[in-house]
């Protein structure tokens, strides 16, 4: 199952790059919440809280229980923008979701094992696809898809059609 994180945010009345710079100078991170017909809502989050909570978290497949001005909201972390030099979080996008509605997410593909063709025949393993797109209910989002490559020999490959994900529909082309 995917990671679930809890964060607290507050609305921010000001918009624009100058307002975002002032927020960052006060130790806050600008963010935006959108989705389900709502107007984009500008937010501010504590830099310390968000940096600590989002260590090792992947955007696009992480559920966030976001509390905005005391009101709880279930969201999906859509994007994390980082400062190119300092690598600190500069901006975050949250997408509001509903538990009974399927969403489209990209899930990382992790290869497991050492292929027979690499171990015994001097072959090279080439992973062409690193993420697959799936449609799934928020409660069933997998953290990653593990694909066992131990039986692969020289000249053989695995395709998306070989992957099984419970409770999800794979949208990526099967011949990939």
């Amino acid at each position: 199952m995917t990671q679930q994180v809890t964060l607290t945010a507050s609305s921010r009345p000001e918009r624009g790059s100058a307002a975002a710079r002032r927020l960052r100078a006060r130790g806050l991170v600008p963010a935006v919440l959108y989705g389900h017909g709502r107007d984009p809502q500008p937010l501010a989050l504590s830099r310390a809280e968000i940096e600590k909570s989002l260590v090792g978290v992947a955007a696009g497949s992480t559920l966030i229980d976001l509390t905005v001005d005391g009101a709880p909201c279930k969201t999906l972390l859509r994007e994390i923008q980082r400062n190119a030099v300092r690598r600190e979080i500069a901006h975050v996008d949250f997408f509001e979701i509903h538990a009974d509605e399927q969403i489209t997410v990209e899930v990382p593909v992790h290869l497991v094992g050492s292929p027979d063709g690499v171990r015994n025949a001097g072959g090279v393993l080439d992973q062409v696809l690193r993420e697959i797109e799936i449609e799934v209910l928020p409660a069933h989002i997998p953290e990653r898809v593990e694909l066992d490559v131990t039986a692969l020999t020289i000249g053989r490959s695995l395709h998306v059609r070989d992957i099984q994900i419970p409770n999800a529909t794979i949208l990526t082309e099967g011949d990939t």
Side-chain angles (χ1 to χ4, degrees), residues 92-110:
V92 181
D93 287 359
F94 298 102
F95 181 75
E96 182 181 15
I97 59 172
H98 293 256
D100 60 342
E101 215 172 85
Q102 292 208 351
I103 56 174
T104 301
V105 295
E106 288 190 353
V107 180
V109 176
H110 288 264

Side-chain angles (χ1 to χ4, degrees), residues 73-149:
C73 182
K74 190 81 116 168
T75 65
L76 183 69
L77 182 60
R78 273 293 185 205
E79 184 178 10
I80 302 172
Q81 297 173 8
R82 293 188 179 271
N83 180 293
V85 176
R86 294 186 300 270
R87 301 302 305 154
E88 62 191 23
I89 295 176
H91 190 273
V92 181
D93 287 359
F94 298 102
F95 181 75
E96 182 181 15
I97 59 172
H98 293 256
D100 60 342
E101 215 172 85
Q102 292 208 351
I103 56 174
T104 301
V105 295
E106 288 190 353
V107 180
V109 176
H110 288 264
L111 303 182
V112 177
S114 180
D116 182 52
V118 172
R119 282 190 323 265
N120 301 322
V124 175
L125 177 64
D126 185 21
Q127 183 178 357
V128 177
L129 189 64
R130 303 211 179 266
E131 294 180 327
I132 60 171
E133 188 175 36
I134 63 172
E135 188 175 65
V136 65
L137 288 173
H140 298 292
I141 298 173
E143 190 171 329
R144 64 177 173 247
V145 175
E146 291 188 349
L147 190 57
D148 185 13
V149 295

Side-chain angles (χ1 to χ4, degrees), residues 3 15 17 25 32 46-47 51 58 74 84 87 98 116 141 157:
Q3 233 178 323
R15 295 177 183 223
S17 58
V32 66
S46 162
R47 177 180 316 289
E51 290 279 359
K74 190 81 116 168
R87 301 302 305 154
H98 293 256
D116 182 52
I141 298 173
S157 59

